Amino acid sequence: NQQATWNPCASLNASGACVSGGGNSLASMLLGLPVGSGRQLGNAGVNLRDRIAGIYAQDSWKVSNKIQLNYGLRWDYTAPVTEANNRLSGFDIWTNQWYIPKGDTDTPTGPLPPGVIISPRNTITHPDYTNFSPRIGFDYLVLPKTLVRGGIGVFFDNWSGAFQAAQNARGAWPSGASQNVNNLNIAGITPGATAQNPFGTLQPLEPTTPFPAGGGFLDTRWKDAYSWQWNLEVQQQLSNSSVFSVAYVGSSTSRGPIQVPFNVSTVLGPTQVLPFPNMSQFNMIQSISHMNYNAFQSKYERRYTNGLAVTGAFTWSHAIDAGCEDYWEGCNIQNPYNLRSNRSNSSLDVPVVFTASALYELPFGKGKKFATEGPASWLLGGWQLNGIFSTRSGTPFTVNINFDNANANGGNQRPNQIGNPKGPQTLKEWFNTSAFAVAPQYTYGNTGRNSLRGPRYTDLDTSLFRSFRLPRGSSLESRFEFFNVLNHPQFGNPDGTFEDATFGQIQYITGNPRELQLGLKYIF
C-alpha cells in the first residue's frame, strides 16, 4: 500500500531539484517530483469483535389524572474490544512499555526487544462493570390545553467510541510498520527522487523493534463515555389543529473521547524535554474530555387541515468542548498539559437554527372548494405546493500556524491575537487578518480555539406535485422539485492558516447550485 505526495515546485535548478515553494502541485506531479512518500509494511488489517449485554427495569406511576411518572434503571456491560488474531499491540503511557497482547499471532520468536512486554490480556482496555443508567420523566397536564413534560437520564456510549478507537491498533509492530521518506527533491538535501521509485535504495523491511514509534494509540485506561441528558418542555394547544411548544434541552458528557498529542516537551525553550525519549511524537485517544450543550428550542406545528400543513422550529444553543470531537478528526489541541485552555466552542456548535416547512394542496378539483368538475377540475385539480426554508449560523474555526514555533514537538499551535479580528466578511477577507501575529519564539499563541465563525447557511427548497387518480385505487404522481431555488451560494470557512498566501480568504463552496429534478411516482 504505497502513496506519494507531490512537491509544488516554483522553479528547478540545473539538477532538477526544487529551490523554492509555491507553484502548482499538479505540474509537480506531471514532472514526477514527489516531496514525500509512505507505505505500510506487514499486515494492516484487523477483524474486531465486541460483546454487549444489558438489562433494565422500568415502571410507570399515574399519580393523578394530571400527573404521570416514568422511571427506570439500566445496566450495560460492554466487553473490551478483541481482534480475531489478537493483533492489538501498542504503547502504554502508564508503564512506558510497548505491549503485545497475549496470543498475538505475530509475536516474534526469541527474546523481545528492550521495553517490549507480553500483556496478560488479549485486549487493550480493562472491563468496566459500573455502567448504570438511571432515568426519570414526568407529564403534568396543568390546564386542559397546557402540558408540561420533562425528564433526566444517563446514557452510555457502549460500543462506537471504543470500537472506533481500537482500529488505531491495526498495522502496529510486530504485525506491521509504516515506512516514510520526506524532504524529497529539495535542493541540497535529497534531490533526484522519482515518482516511480520515491524510496530509492530503502528496503521494505519491518524493523526489529517498535522504538521509536509514532502514530495513534488507544489509552489502556479507556472507559465508555456517558452523558447526563435532560429536558423541560411546555406545550400549548392553540386550536384543534395547531400546537406550540418551548423547551430547555441540555446535556453534560463526561469521559468523552479526545485525541491528545503526546511526547510534547514539558519545557518550552531551545532544548526539548520529552517525557518519552524512546518514542517520537504520537497521539493517544483518551476518555477524559468533558462536553456540554444547552439549548432553547421552540416549535409550531399546524397539522394538515383544509389542505394546509405548516411546521416551524427555532433553536438557540451553545455547545462547548475541548476539541477533537467527531471521532477525533481535525484535532487542534495546542497545549496538552492544559486542556482547559483548549475549551471553547465545539466545532459542531451552531448557535441559531431556524427551519420552516409548508405543504399546501391547491383548492381546485374534485372534493375541493373550487373547480370541482369538468375540464377545469381536470386541469387545476390534484396540485400540491411544498417548501422548506432553513437558515443557521456558520460553524466556528481556528486560526493556526503550521510550524512548531514553541519548539514543543507536537500540538496544533496558534498565533497571538493583537487586534480586533472582526473583518469585512468578504470572500477576499472574511476576518481582519492583521489582527494576528506569530507569538514570540518558544511560546504558545493566545488566540482562542474556534474563536471565529464562518459564513451563515441559507437554503430554500420547493416542489410542485400533481397527482392523477388511476383505476383500482392507484395513482400516479408527477414531481417537480427545485433545490436551492434562490441559487444562494453556501460558502465554506476561510483559510485559517496564518502563513498561507490565502489566509483569511474563502476558497470553496460547500453546497450545490440551483437544481431541478423531475420524477414520476406510482402508488398502488
Side-chain angles (χ1 to χ4, degrees):
N1 181 16
Q2 180 173 313
Q3 62 181 21
T5 54
W6 307 101
N7 184 43
C9 298
S11 59
L12 306 175
N13 61 15
S15 301
C18 301
V19 294
S20 59
N24 187 288
S25 57
L26 177 60
S28 300
M29 183 187 72
L30 296 175
L31 290 171
L33 296 173
V35 69
S37 185
R39 59 188 175 191
Q40 177 66 35
L41 308 177
N43 190 338
V46 287
N47 184 357
L48 300 178
R49 301 175 178 181
D50 201 2
R51 291 178 289 110
I52 302 174
I55 58 174
Y56 68 92
Q58 67 180 39
D59 190 21
S60 296
W61 177 26
K62 191 172 184 180
V63 181
S64 68
N65 290 333
K66 293 186 175 182
I67 301 176
Q68 179 169 302
L69 296 178
N70 298 278
Y71 44 89
L73 178 65
R74 182 180 181 90
W75 176 80
D76 290 292
Y77 171 67
T78 303
V81 177
T82 61
E83 203 274 332
N85 296 290
N86 298 318
R87 294 188 178 104
L88 292 177
S89 56
F91 184 70
D92 190 343
I93 57 174
W94 308 103
T95 64
N96 197 14
Q97 293 175 314
W98 187 274
Y99 60 85
I100 301 175
K102 179 182 67 176
D104 188 335
T105 57
D106 296 326
T107 301
T109 58
L112 296 174
V116 179
I117 65 167
I118 302 294
S119 172
R121 306 183 313 276
N122 65 343
T123 64
I124 300 175
T125 59
H126 298 264
D128 185 2
Y129 302 97
T130 61
N131 292 357
F132 290 94
S133 307
R135 298 167 193 178
I136 185 170
F138 74 92
D139 295 309
Y140 177 28
L141 188 63
V142 181
L143 297 171
K145 295 184 178 181
T146 305
L147 177 67
V148 177
R149 61 165 65 97
I152 185 171
V154 177
F155 300 84
F156 279 86
D157 177 9
N158 289 313
W159 64 274
S160 63
F163 215 78
Q164 176 73 20
Q167 296 185 59
N168 284 270
R170 68 183 186 271
W173 191 92
S175 298
S178 296
Q179 195 174 64
N180 301 282
V181 287
N182 300 300
N183 296 321
L184 303 178
N185 290 302
I186 303 298
I189 303 178
T190 53
T194 65
Q196 291 77 17
N197 183 24
F199 293 94
T201 59
L202 182 64
Q203 296 300 310
L205 300 176
E206 294 184 42
T208 58
T209 175
F211 302 113
F217 307 99
L218 175 61
D219 190 357
T220 56
R221 296 188 181 181
W222 167 280
K223 290 189 176 181
D224 293 334
Y226 68 91
S227 176
W228 283 93
Q229 300 180 16
W230 55 84
N231 67 84
L232 180 64
E233 180 186 20
V234 179
Q235 179 176 294
Q236 177 67 44
Q237 182 178 345
L238 303 178
S239 67
N240 291 335
S241 61
S242 61
V243 176
F244 178 73
S245 65
V246 293
Y248 163 57
V249 177
S251 67
S252 177
T253 301
S254 299
R255 300 197 320 214
I258 183 171
Q259 180 172 282
V260 181
F262 267 78
N263 219 20
V264 175
S265 181
T266 57
V267 177
L268 299 183
T271 303
Q272 296 178 345
V273 180
L274 304 181
F276 303 99
N278 59 333
M279 295 283 286
S280 57
Q281 197 277 324
F282 63 95
N283 298 315
M284 184 67 65
I285 299 175
Q286 298 184 284
S287 53
I288 60 173
S289 180
H290 181 265
M291 301 167 274
N292 63 273
Y293 172 82
N294 292 278
F296 166 81
Q297 299 178 357
S298 62
K299 181 179 180 180
Y300 170 79
E301 182 179 6
R302 173 193 165 98
R303 301 181 183 91
Y304 181 77
T305 307
N306 297 324
L308 177 65
V310 177
T311 300
F314 172 78
T315 298
W316 178 39
S317 65
H318 194 197
I320 300 175
D321 60 26
C324 302
E325 68 291 299
D326 194 19
Y327 287 113
W328 322 289
E329 298 294 334
C331 294
N332 48 17
I333 292 174
Q334 179 172 241
N335 182 4
Y337 302 112
N338 184 10
L339 288 179
R340 188 162 185 83
S341 67
N342 215 61
R343 188 169 169 81
S344 183
N345 299 318
S346 167
S347 294
L348 306 177
D349 179 50
V350 183
V352 177
V353 179
F354 174 74
T355 303
S357 64
L359 176 157
Y360 182 52
E361 285 189 353
L362 301 184
F364 306 106
K366 186 177 181 180
K368 302 295 182 180
K369 190 173 182 179
F370 305 105
T372 58
E373 57 185 25
S377 174
W378 188 88
L379 289 173
L380 302 177
W383 290 97
Q384 177 181 308
L385 182 63
N386 313 284
I388 301 176
F389 173 77
S390 61
T391 183
R392 60 176 180 262
S393 305
T395 55
F397 65 93
T398 302
V399 174
N400 62 84
I401 59 176
N402 207 21
F403 57 96
D404 191 0
N405 180 64
N407 194 32
N409 191 47
N412 290 65
Q413 296 174 31
R414 304 191 279 272
N416 274 347
Q417 182 176 315
I418 58 174
N420 185 353
K422 186 175 181 180
Q425 295 194 346
T426 63
L427 297 183
K428 291 296 184 182
E429 188 179 7
W430 183 256
F431 56 90
N432 179 17
T433 57
S434 62
F436 301 93
V438 177
Q441 193 176 17
Y442 310 128
T443 64
Y444 290 127
N446 63 16
T447 299
R449 166 184 160 265
N450 278 349
S451 57
L452 300 181
R453 195 171 293 274
R456 173 181 294 275
Y457 172 91
T458 302
D459 180 66
L460 175 63
D461 299 331
T462 62
S463 59
L464 184 64
F465 297 170
R466 174 73 188 276
S467 181
F468 300 91
R469 296 181 182 273
L470 300 176
R472 300 180 180 178
S474 60
S475 62
L476 182 66
E477 184 179 78
S478 60
R479 307 166 69 96
F480 304 87
E481 297 172 306
F482 299 86
F483 301 98
N484 191 13
V485 66
L486 300 179
N487 204 28
H488 191 285
Q490 314 298 347
F491 295 110
N493 284 346
D495 183 352
T497 302
F498 178 79
E499 60 268 31
D500 285 357
T502 55
F503 180 53
Q505 298 180 17
I506 291 178
Q507 299 289 301
Y508 63 96
I509 294 178
T510 60
N512 295 321
R514 181 191 297 120
E515 293 183 1
L516 169 62
Q517 179 174 292
L518 306 178
L520 288 175
K521 184 178 181 181
Y522 177 57
I523 303 171
F524 59 94

